[in-house]
Amino acid sequence: MKGSHQQSSVLSALAKQNLIPPELFDEISDDFKNKNVPFIRYLIDDRSLDGIKIAKVLSKSFGYPQIQLNNFDTSLMPEGVRNEKLILKHNALPLYLRGKVLFVAMSDPTNLNALEEIQFNTGYSTELILCDEKSLQSCIEKVLEDESSALDISDIDSDELAGIDVEETKKDDNNGTDEDAPIVVFINKILLDAIKKGASDLHFEPYEKSFRIRFRIDGILAEIARPPVSLAARMAARLKVMSKLDIAERRVPQDGRIKLALSQKKSIDFRVSTLPTMWGEKIVMRILDSSSAMLGIDMLGYEPEQKQIYMDALEQPQGMILVTGPTGSGKTVSLYTGLNILNTQERNISTAEDPVEINLEGINQVQINNRAGLTFPGALRSFLRQDPDIVMVGEIRDLETAEISIKAAQTGHLVLSTLHTNSAAETLTRLLNMGVPSYNVASSVSIIIAQRLARRLCPQCKEEEVLSETQLAEQGFPADKLAEITLYKAVGCTHCTGGYKGRVGIYEVIKISPQIASIIMEGGNSLDIATQCQKEGYNNLRQSGLQKAMNGMTSLAEINRVTSS
């Protein structure tokens, strides 16, 4: 009976969009009883329905995000959760792991038994992502072909990792001794722990009488270990050898990379930066997560109207899309997500980045090298001679870069870039302050996205937080919704870190309307622009954050931390 009810839900949704006449419901249900295939596949194969249309209708009807799997890189899938039996039984494929949440691709949104069984077998909370049946089948076939070489990161220990290729050569490590063996094992353990805990950065910090190691998890630094201070120099030397840096040079900063191979097909990249301090070299490592660039726009946390503005801008043949926010606010992921949407065989895409954080197949990525004379302006000039369709500039830092980017946007190219400002309105005035003429700003910029990352509340332990309507109004919640607002606060449990698990994006997405363009042309300041944005109904970062709190995704305390009240 339960299966029949699920089929009825799918058929009703399709009937509302005129894909199936209601009078065929009974015939379809009776015919399907004799089939030994998933229901969605039956509708496609036996009833000649379009799988892509089915996915779009069901995504809208059931409220689940949709993902395109045609160009999905299966090597980025989480290891250790690909159970062949469950994949084939439920026609469901685990795609991404964010903290303790496993995102599972399925073509049938009513098959909640699949999510429950996968959750029971993996120990992770599960969330459904809809996709069309054909691409799901292709992806499943590809994954099962590679299953024999899959590796579970959680099963690796530091001794095993010490024997795995870290992309270094023995001849580079001339200073290695038997005394260094414990250092090698300890460093490998630290790197592996960082990957397991979902850290974004690692900090190795020497002081006069102490030495500490910290991880940045969900945007917050936490102390992990305090090794003896006498080991600081040897650890720094080990990390520099792994990064192919000059271990004899301790007076100037250096930058390098580590590719940590976990198996023949799975590796993790680290970006390494050294900085001489009074008591030794501080080393910071950024974990470069390739899977974050493949999340899809539905996973980033945009509100529906914000997502539509971004998608519309990506479909334009020319113009400029600017993403702004502080370091660590997710700008790179937003840009890479847009590039992945645009990355088709028909387009020539080039990027200038400093540094190139994530390698993207099919996109021409250029690493800026100021010492060698390869600057952002120089790379952009070369791009414009290479028949580009889309150009991405890692950051607009000066007038010359801004002018060339705007020229490209005005001459038939789509340009994506970032700026370090606090809001969308301030981004426009920053360009004007750089010296870009107001008419160029008004005519070339299409949309601006300002963003922050807020920690998600742990669904296992969050508790309701009671505030009076007066307190809610003081925080800026909409006056017409004060009576119906339910907020939650962080508690903390064994499943999370301090009541939070994972992060969600908070966005201010502004389309440059004729009215906003007029304010720019007239020399208006950021306050004038922000006022007009409010008149046109665009939520600022604070308002978007409060909406996330009202939806139960995060707490008011976290919104107050990442936005101004």
Side-chain angles (χ1 to χ4, degrees):
M1 294 297 294
K2 185 176 181 181
S4 177
H5 176 71
Q6 293 171 341
Q7 296 160 21
S8 298
S9 299
V10 171
L11 292 175
S12 297
L14 298 177
K16 288 181 181 179
Q17 298 298 320
N18 299 317
L19 293 184
I20 294 181
E23 56 269 20
L24 292 181
F25 282 13
D26 291 338
E27 176 187 328
I28 290 174
S29 297
D30 291 340
D31 186 34
F32 178 67
K33 291 177 183 178
N34 302 319
K35 306 293 182 179
N36 189 29
V37 295
F39 186 55
I40 302 299
R41 195 181 307 167
Y42 161 78
L43 293 176
I44 296 171
D45 294 343
D46 290 49
R47 294 289 166 172
S48 302
L49 296 185
D50 188 315
I52 295 178
K53 289 183 179 179
I54 291 177
K56 288 182 179 178
V57 169
L58 296 183
S59 174
K60 184 176 181 180
S61 299
F62 288 85
Y64 290 113
Q66 187 181 353
I67 189 171
Q68 299 293 333
L69 292 179
N70 293 332
N71 298 315
F72 183 75
D73 185 355
T74 56
S75 67
L76 302 178
M77 293 174 57
E79 305 289 351
V81 297
R82 291 177 285 187
N83 185 310
E84 180 176 350
K85 182 178 179 181
L86 289 181
I87 290 174
L88 294 176
K89 176 183 177 181
H90 293 296
N91 199 38
L93 187 62
L95 290 184
Y96 302 110
L97 187 60
R98 288 293 167 269
K100 295 292 184 180
V101 181
L102 182 64
F103 293 90
V104 182
M106 298 195 299
S107 60
D108 187 349
T110 66
N111 187 11
L112 300 183
N113 289 336
L115 297 180
E116 293 174 1
E117 192 167 347
I118 292 173
Q119 178 171 329
F120 177 80
N121 278 270
T122 63
Y124 296 114
S125 300
T126 53
E127 289 193 19
L128 188 152
I129 314 175
L130 269 175
C131 59
D132 70 275
E133 174 66 21
K134 184 177 180 181
S135 64
L136 176 61
Q137 284 305 303
S138 298
C139 204
I140 286 177
E141 291 174 5
K142 184 176 181 181
V143 167
L144 295 184
E145 286 177 1
D146 298 336
E147 185 62 29
S148 59
S149 61
L151 177 69
D152 186 353
I153 294 177
S154 63
D155 289 339
I156 304 176
D157 60 33
S158 58
D159 293 330
E160 291 174 334
L161 188 60
I164 296 177
D165 180 23
V166 190
E167 288 209 348
E168 57 173 309
T169 57
K170 300 270 185 172
K171 62 183 180 181
D172 289 332
D173 193 1
N174 295 323
N175 297 318
T177 67
D178 291 339
E179 294 179 359
D180 292 328
I183 299 293
V184 171
V185 174
F186 180 76
I187 292 292
N188 289 341
K189 182 180 185 302
I190 288 293
L191 299 185
L192 190 58
D193 284 348
I195 296 169
K196 290 178 179 178
K197 293 181 179 180
S200 60
D201 301 87
L202 298 79
H203 292 242
F204 297 81
E205 302 169 307
Y207 299 98
E208 182 179 11
K209 297 180 180 180
S210 64
F211 176 55
R212 70 177 177 181
I213 300 173
R214 293 190 291 173
F215 291 172
R216 188 178 293 279
I217 302 173
D218 294 337
I220 303 296
L221 280 170
E223 186 173 305
I224 300 300
R226 275 187 176 264
V229 67
S230 59
L231 299 180
R234 289 165 63 188
M235 287 191 189
R238 171 61 184 170
L239 290 170
K240 289 167 73 174
V241 167
M242 296 171 70
S243 311
K244 295 184 172 60
L245 300 178
D246 183 356
I247 63 173
E249 180 56 78
R250 302 182 181 91
R251 300 165 300 173
V252 296
Q254 298 185 65
D255 294 300
R257 292 175 77 101
I258 297 174
K259 181 179 285 292
L260 189 66
L262 301 176
S263 73
Q264 291 183 348
K265 293 193 176 183
K266 178 69 176 180
S267 62
I268 301 291
D269 289 328
F270 295 81
R271 190 180 76 208
V272 182
S273 173
T274 72
L275 178 68
T277 68
M278 285 185 64
W279 309 110
E281 290 180 284
K282 173 174 179 175
I283 296 180
V284 176
M285 306 175 68
R286 165 68 57 89
I287 299 178
L288 305 178
D289 184 4
S290 299
S291 64
S292 64
M294 308 297 289
L295 272 177
I297 194 169
D298 291 310
M299 295 292 100
L300 300 186
Y302 286 94
E303 298 298 330
E305 61 274 11
Q306 294 176 333
K307 170 191 167 184
Q308 193 58 53
I309 293 173
Y310 190 16
M311 294 297 291
D312 289 345
L314 290 172
E315 292 175 1
Q316 299 303 311
Q318 65 184 52
M320 179 179 286
I321 298 172
L322 294 175
V323 183
T324 181
T327 301
S329 60
K331 300 188 299 296
T332 300
V333 172
S334 285
L335 283 180
Y336 279 3
T337 299
L339 289 178
N340 274 318
I341 293 172
L342 296 168
N343 188 13
T344 63
Q345 193 173 7
E346 297 80 21
R347 295 186 176 104
N348 176 23
I349 305 176
S350 296
T351 74
E353 304 172 64
D354 184 18
V356 174
E357 293 195 2
I358 298 172
N359 296 325
L360 299 176
E361 183 72 25
I363 294 178
N364 308 293
Q365 296 173 275
V366 174
Q367 169 73 55
I368 295 302
N369 187 338
N370 290 312
R371 288 185 179 180
L374 180 55
T375 62
F376 277 116
L380 282 172
R381 291 190 186 94
S382 296
F383 289 170
L384 296 178
R385 293 192 293 269
Q386 294 248 321
D387 185 31
D389 296 300
I390 296 151
V391 172
M392 196 270 271
V393 186
E395 182 184 352
I396 294 178
R397 298 175 178 173
D398 51 49
L399 176 59
E400 187 177 12
T401 305
E403 287 181 333
I404 300 173
S405 299
I406 286 174
K407 178 183 176 182
Q410 292 174 331
T411 54
H413 307 94
L414 182 62
V415 179
L416 294 83
S417 189
T418 70
L419 276 166
H420 283 91
T421 58
N422 292 323
S423 68
E426 291 177 36
T427 302
L428 294 168
T429 55
R430 173 67 192 281
L431 289 172
L432 297 174
N433 291 337
M434 279 185 181
V436 179
S438 58
Y439 57 85
N440 277 341
V441 174
S443 64
S444 60
V445 178
S446 302
I447 69 166
I448 302 173
I449 302 173
Q451 65 181 81
R452 301 289 188 276
L453 289 177
R455 292 177 293 172
R456 281 182 182 268
L457 282 168
C458 172
Q460 304 288 338
C461 65
K462 67 179 182 181
E463 290 183 358
E464 187 173 337
E465 181 178 21
V466 179
L467 296 177
S468 67
E469 291 191 12
T470 301
Q471 291 173 312
L472 293 172
E474 289 174 349
Q475 292 294 328
F477 287 97
D480 59 338
K481 296 183 179 180
L482 296 179
E484 56 191 62
I485 291 175
T486 301
L487 299 179
Y488 296 89
K489 62 182 179 181
V491 177
C493 66
T494 57
H495 300 281
C496 63
T497 303
Y500 297 97
K501 184 169 61 177
R503 289 191 286 179
V504 63
I506 297 173
Y507 302 93
E508 177 185 12
V509 182
I510 304 300
K511 180 179 180 181
I512 306 304
S513 65
Q515 293 77 14
I516 295 175
S518 296
I519 294 174
I520 298 170
M521 294 288 289
E522 294 167 2
N525 58 33
S526 60
L527 183 59
D528 298 327
I529 296 170
T531 301
Q532 180 60 34
C533 290
Q534 287 290 293
K535 289 181 181 179
E536 296 185 18
Y538 296 118
N539 281 346
N540 58 31
L541 284 168
R542 176 72 179 178
Q543 292 165 330
S544 295
L546 294 178
Q547 183 63 52
K548 291 290 191 297
M550 291 166 61
N551 293 340
M553 293 182 183
T554 188
S555 66
L556 178 59
E558 180 67 3
I559 295 305
N560 286 335
R561 184 182 72 86
V562 300
T563 68
S564 57
S565 59

